[in-house]
Structures are given as structure tokens and as C-alpha cells.
């Protein structure tokens, strides 16, 4: 292959899945230069432009267990699920200390995980940002601001390149105090957001497009959507927003999710009809420009399902946990059909569990490092 012109070599290599690129860069300096070039990235993405999916999983918060796994796509070429990559990475990285480390946050647009030494509320514990598939890992310098709790990873990308990430922690004594580590500066900063929030509701925070979102309770004990933008333009500080949730009626289960680059909100409500009968209705909204837009509704009666998440690449596929059958189901919005996912039948009760979507990007992002690291 040394006799091939470099442009032909780039075309050949671009037909391989992303998972292989880390190994290709180890072959020789020429291959490393090709794979890391903007030309190669654009070439790969142009050849893969018809692909609308990538590997992803719906994870249990804090224990690296998968509820749903989709991974056999050409983009990454994975032969096993993301959960297995995470588990094997943690075992290899920390060896005999494996049980002392956990994943506390997942990114939905950069393929990164935030690993923390346990217990969770410990001053100056070890933190790592890693890609479990490429096995690239960066240790975050310690902070000195007292006890804290991981909130998430905010990322900034441009033209398919990961430019920067921020590790965000809640101050343990004050939930409105934020500790923020920036890969751009290699420093920790302290900031405060005045949101009057009191905790999470039924879901872990979601990191998307430089912001972190979650459902919380305000001072009136009402549930609200909290969003913090860590890359707000024209300001040196983070920008927080509290948005009322777009629903009414007797509340049942609700959940946040992401789909096609947007924040999604699902809720089951009970509606009393004029004749006195009661219908259960699932409503799905998309957050766009600070406003909730109703995407779909579905009415059903007598079924006890907990909405867990939406397929990140297909807004017409929603996943539920059946409380009565203790089974996982997928629902197709188009034909209004439920499908039983038999491989997880008789699994333990997932009602009220915390979930996180973990989605690999359409490109292999190199984790930024500062000179301080």
C-alpha cells in the first residue's frame, strides 16, 4: 500500500468503521496524518451521509448496566454493546480498584463518560473523562472547594470536531453552587446560578449542545425543566433557565430524553372524559428555541407503562417499562403498536429508576487536553 497515492489511500481507509481509526494511527506517521486530517474526516462523513444512526445505549445511572443497546451500525462497526465497552474499560483502567470507580455522567453528543471515585460526596476525589471505545482517558486535576456531586459534561463542537468540554459539579452544601473544570484553560472555576431548585426528578441530567438539562422541583414543589448553558455567547458566566413543563391534568410518570439533537419531554396524564370515564394519554414534546412543541399524543386505557426514553435517531420509537408484566416494550408512533423486547422479560422492576442515554457521535472525537495536563 506504500505505492498508493495518498488520496487513494485516504479513500480506502475511509471505508472502514470509526472503531478502527485508533489502530490506523499507530501504523505509521503517514496513516496518522491522513486519519487526523480535516480532509479525511470530511471524506468519511460524505461517504457515510446516508447513515442516520450510530451506536447508543440507555444506561442505568451509576452502575453501567444497559436497559437498551443498539450497536451494529456501519458508522462505528461495534460487535458488542456500549455497556460492555464501559465495563471492560473500567476493569482495565483501574484493575484491582475497579469497584471504587463509577460512571456518573454520559454525553449524548460526544461519546464521553465522566468517571468518579466513590463514594460520590468526597472532597478532591479522582475524576476522569474518557471514551470507552477508543480507551482514551484524561484525568481531571483535583479541586479544593469542599464536597461536591457530579452533574455532567458539557461539550462544544464545531464541524465535527470536539473543541472543548467542561466537567460540572454541584457544591454539596449548596445545590446552586457550581464547580466547573474547563479543558480549554485546565482550571477549576466557581460559579453560582439562582434557580431555586431542590433536586432531580426520576431522571439524571442530560448533556446536549453545551447545556445540561434536568427535571427539578422549585420552591413551590412544582416540577420544572432546568437548563444551564455553559457556553453562552457574550457572557463570561453560565446562564441558567427554568422552564415550566407543558402539561396539565393529573400527573403520572414523566421523563426527559434526546432525539435528533433536541431535548424531548414525555409524560403520561390521566384525562377524565365528559361521560366520566378516564383515559391515559402519552404526550411527547420537543424543546425548540425555549418553547415546547407538541410532537405526538397517544391515548390508551388500562395499561401501566413507565416511559423510559426515545430512540436518539428516530422520534417515532419510544421505550416503556411495563409495570404489570415487568417487561421492556418499544412503541411505534406511526402504527401505534407495542413490541415486547423479550430478552429483558422478567428483569427487575425499573419503575422510578434513573436512566441516561449514551450516544456515540458520527466521528471519533479526540479528547482535548491543555498544556497544564
Amino acid at each position: 500500500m506504500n505505492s498508493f497515492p495518498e488520496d487513494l489511500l485516504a479513500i480506502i481507509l475511509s471505508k472502514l468503521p470509526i472503531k478502527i481509526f485508533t489502530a490506523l494511527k499507530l501504523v505509521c506517521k503517514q496513516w496518522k496524518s491522513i486519519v487526523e486530517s480535516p480532509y479525511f474526516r470530511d471524506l468519511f462523513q460524505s461517504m457515510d451521509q446516508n447513515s442516520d444512526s450510530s451506536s447508543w445505549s440507555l444506561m442505568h445511572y451509576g452502575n453501567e448496566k444497559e436497559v437498551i443497546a443498539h450497536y451494529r451500525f456501519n458508522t462505528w462497526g461495534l460487535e458488542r454493546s456500549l455497556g460492555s465497552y464501559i465495563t471492560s474499560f473500567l476493569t482495565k483502567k483501574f484493575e484491582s480498584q475497579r469497584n471504587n470507580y463509577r460512571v456518573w455522567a454520559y454525553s449524548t453528543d460526544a461519546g464521553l463518560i465522566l468517571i468518579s471515585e466513590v463514594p460520590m460526596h468526597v472532597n478532591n476525589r479522582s475524576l476522569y473523562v474518557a471514551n470507552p471505545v477508543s480507551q482514551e482517558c484524561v484525568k481531571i486535576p483535583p479541586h479544593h472547594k469542599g464536597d461536591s456531586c457530579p452533574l455532567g459534561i458539557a461539550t462544544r463542537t464545531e464541524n465535527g470536531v470536539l473543541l472543548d468540554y467542561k466537567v460540572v459539579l454541584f457544591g454539596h452544601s449548596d445545590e446552586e453552587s457550581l464547580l466547573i473544570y474547563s479543558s480549554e484553560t485546565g482550571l477549576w472555576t466557581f460559579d453560582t446560578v439562582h434557580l431555586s431548585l431542590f433536586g432531580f426528578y426520576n431522571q439524571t441530567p442530560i448533556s446536549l449542545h453545551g447545556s445540561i438539562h434536568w427535571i427539578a422541583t422549585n420552591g413551590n414543589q412544582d416540577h420544572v425543566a432546568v437548563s444551564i448553558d455553559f457556553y453562552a455567547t457574550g457572557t463570561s458566566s453560565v446562564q441558567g433557565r427554568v422552564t415550566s413543563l407543558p402539561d396539565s391534568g393529573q400527573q403520572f410518570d414523566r421523563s426527559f430524553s434526546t432525539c435528533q439533537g433536541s431535548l424531548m419531554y414525555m409524560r403520561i396524564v390521566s384525562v377524565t372524559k365528559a361521560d366520566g370515564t378516564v383515559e391515559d394519554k402519552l404526550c411527547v414534546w420537543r424543546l425548540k428555541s425555549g418553547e415546547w412543541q407538541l410532537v405526538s399524543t397517544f391515548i390508551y386505557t388500562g395499561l401501566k407503562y413507565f416511559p423510559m426514553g426515545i430512540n436518539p435517531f428516530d422520534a417515532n420509537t419510544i421505550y416503556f417499562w411495563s409495570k404489570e408484566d415487568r417487561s421492556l416494550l418499544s412503541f411505534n408512533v406511526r402504527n401505534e403498536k407495542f413490541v415486547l423486547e423479550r430478552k429483558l422479560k422478567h428483569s427487575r422492576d425499573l419503575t422510578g429508576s434513573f436512566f441516561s442515554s449514551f450516544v456515540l457521535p458520527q466521528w471519533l472525537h479526540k479528547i482535548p487536553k491543555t498544556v497544564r495536563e
Side-chain angles (χ1 to χ4, degrees), residues 251-253 267-271 278-282 298-307 320-327 329-332 336-340 351:
Q251 73 174 48
F252 281 91
D253 297 313
R267 181 181 170 189
I268 296 176
V269 298
S270 182
V271 180
V278 177
E279 289 181 331
D280 290 339
K281 180 172 67 173
L282 170 70
F298 171 64
I299 295 177
Y300 57 91
T301 303
L303 302 176
K304 300 301 180 182
Y305 295 158
F306 172 75
F320 294 85
W321 174 256
S322 170
K323 303 175 185 180
E324 296 179 346
D325 299 332
R326 298 173 61 84
S327 301
L329 302 99
S330 61
F331 173 68
N332 188 306
E336 299 186 351
K337 299 293 185 182
F338 283 93
V339 176
L340 176 65
T351 304

Side-chain angles (χ1 to χ4, degrees), residues 45-60:
Q45 292 178 335
S46 67
M47 290 187 172
D48 199 54
Q49 61 184 350
N50 293 326
S51 175
D52 58 356
S53 296
S54 185
S55 300
W56 67 277
S57 291
L58 186 67
M59 309 293 300
H60 279 292

Side-chain angles (χ1 to χ4, degrees), residues 170-217:
F170 262 144
H172 181 43
S173 59
D174 181 357
E175 287 191 330
E176 294 185 2
S177 300
L178 300 177
L179 294 170
I180 306 169
Y181 171 81
S182 172
S183 65
E184 191 171 28
T185 63
L187 299 173
W188 286 95
T189 58
F190 180 80
D191 212 327
T192 302
V193 287
H194 302 286
L195 299 175
S196 299
L197 52 96
F198 286 89
F200 307 119
Y201 174 84
N202 228 20
Q203 187 104 19
T204 54
I206 291 177
S207 301
L208 184 67
H209 302 324
S211 296
I212 298 180
H213 313 265
W214 69 94
I215 299 175
T217 52

Side-chain angles (χ1 to χ4, degrees), residues 245-248 263-267 269 281-288 291-298 315 318 333:
L245 295 176
D247 43 25
S248 60
L263 185 70
M264 311 292 287
Y265 172 63
M266 299 179 292
R267 181 181 170 189
V269 298
K281 180 172 67 173
L282 170 70
C283 299
V284 181
W285 291 268
R286 183 192 309 272
L287 186 63
K288 186 174 182 180
E291 301 290 336
W292 293 104
Q293 297 180 350
L294 185 63
V295 176
S296 60
T297 60
F298 171 64
I318 304 174
V333 175

